[in-house]
């Protein structure tokens, strides 16, 4: 029997809420199960006060990259996150991804405005090792996508771009919206969120003191 990831997702959402990254109903978290289904936060639930009832089990249809409610879905009165299509694309493109986390921080939104292009260069910080970049003076950029009212449009733009160009780090930014990471475990996904948020805080602080990157 597989382990239910919901208690960990609840604790993680609470931690991110306390950091100011999942205020109100902002953000969504998901975890893939061994059978390929994934649990995702239900739409519009308060992320600092989630319960097991605030998750929806989804089935991934890898052929079409589409998702539907799993037949064994217990919380049928809940709708899945409005951003489920993005999680589905990540799980489809990255077979090793077991967790996908999306948060809204002030810093993520500020840095997404530092460029008008579709990638944002990151400073060559030691912290990048935590995202799997083991290079001296690494030249790494995070992909940036436009925010769109119709979330499946964002998902299909992510899919189209990542099918051609694999991102250097397991993270993407949606301009004026937030950051999404994916990882091979819940713990790593949590670490990745903390690391990208550290890098964004550094970038905002550096710009504040006129420190060129
Ligand atoms: C505070 S509203 C934010 C939403 O529009 C969305 O961007 C978000 O992250 C949460 O949506 P949800 O449907 O609850 O997963
Ligand atoms: Zn969002």
């Amino acid at each position: 029997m597989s382990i239910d990831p919901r208690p960990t997702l609840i604790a993680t959402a609470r931690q991110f809420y306390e950091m100011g990254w999942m205020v109100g109903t902002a953000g969504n978290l998901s975890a893939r199960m061994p059978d390929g289904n994934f649990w995702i936060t239900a739409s519009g639930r308060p992320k600092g006060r989630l319960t097991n009832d605030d998750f929806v089990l989804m089935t991934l249809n890898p052929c079409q990259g589409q998702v539907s409610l799993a037949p064994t879905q217990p919380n049928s009165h809940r709708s899945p996150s409005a951003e489920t299509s993005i999680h589905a694309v990540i799980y489809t493109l990255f077979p090793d991804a077991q967790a996908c986390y999306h948060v809204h921080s002030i810093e993520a939104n500020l840095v997404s405005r530092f460029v008008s292009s579709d990638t944002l260069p990151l400073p060559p910080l030691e912290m990048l090792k935590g995202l799997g970049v083991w290079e001296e003076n690494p030249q790494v950029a995070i992909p940036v996508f436009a925010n769109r009212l119709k979330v499946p449009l964002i998902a299909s733009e992510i899919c189209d771009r990542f099918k051609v160009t694999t991102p250097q780090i397991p993270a993407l930014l949606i301009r004026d919206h937030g950051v999404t990471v994916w990882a091979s475990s819940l713990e790593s996904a949590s670490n990745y969120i903390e690391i990208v948020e550290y890098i964004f805080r550094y970038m905002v602080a550096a710009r504040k003191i006129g420190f060129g990157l």
Side-chain angles (χ1 to χ4, degrees):
M1 211 179 80
S2 56
I3 295 168
D4 184 347
R6 288 177 292 177
T8 302
L9 295 174
I10 291 168
T12 302
R14 172 82 200 173
Q15 184 202 339
F16 291 166
Y17 165 82
E18 282 167 2
M19 294 298 291
W21 303 337
M22 289 190 108
V23 297
T25 61
N28 27 78
L29 306 181
S30 71
R32 177 146 55 179
M33 303 300 290
D35 64 3
N37 289 344
F38 65 93
W39 284 106
I40 190 162
T41 42
S43 190
R45 304 304 298 151
K47 302 306 185 317
R49 301 186 296 279
L50 294 175
T51 69
N52 272 355
D53 186 47
D54 293 320
F55 291 83
V56 177
L57 188 62
M58 305 300 295
T59 293
L60 194 60
N61 181 338
C63 299
Q64 294 138 30
Q66 285 170 355
V67 277
S68 51
L69 289 171
T72 50
Q73 152 62 20
N75 301 326
S76 52
H77 57 297
R78 297 278 186 231
S79 302
S81 164
E83 291 165 351
T84 300
S85 53
I86 295 176
H87 295 246
V89 159
I90 295 299
Y91 289 131
T92 304
L93 288 176
F94 305 109
D96 289 344
Q98 300 300 325
C100 180
Y101 290 177
H102 163 70
V103 301
H104 295 190
S105 72
I106 289 174
E107 286 81 3
N109 287 334
L110 287 171
V111 300
S112 78
R113 282 275 162 186
F114 284 7
V115 289
S116 53
S117 56
D118 64 5
T119 54
L120 172 71
L122 301 179
L125 299 175
E126 171 72 10
M127 283 294 254
L128 286 168
K129 286 188 183 144
L131 295 170
V133 180
W134 288 78
E135 285 167 35
E136 207 158 290
N137 194 28
Q139 304 300 302
V140 173
I142 184 170
V144 183
F145 293 86
N147 198 23
R148 304 200 183 276
L149 194 55
K150 291 192 164 92
V151 178
L153 274 182
I154 309 175
S156 87
E157 285 170 10
I158 293 169
C159 190
D160 290 348
R161 188 166 355 151
F162 285 179
K163 268 201 285 202
V164 178
T165 314
T166 305
Q168 293 170 281
I169 54 170
L172 65 91
L173 259 180
I174 306 173
R175 186 169 281 117
D176 302 330
H177 180 158
V179 67
T180 298
V181 305
W182 54 97
S184 58
S185 70
L186 300 176
E187 187 176 73
S188 292
S190 211
N191 287 337
Y192 289 178
I193 285 287
E194 290 185 28
I195 290 167
V196 293
E197 289 297 341
Y198 171 95
I199 294 171
F200 296 158
R201 277 201 306 283
Y202 172 94
M203 292 169 76
V204 171
R207 183 163 284 217
K208 209 163 155 186
I209 59 170
F211 183 64
L213 297 173

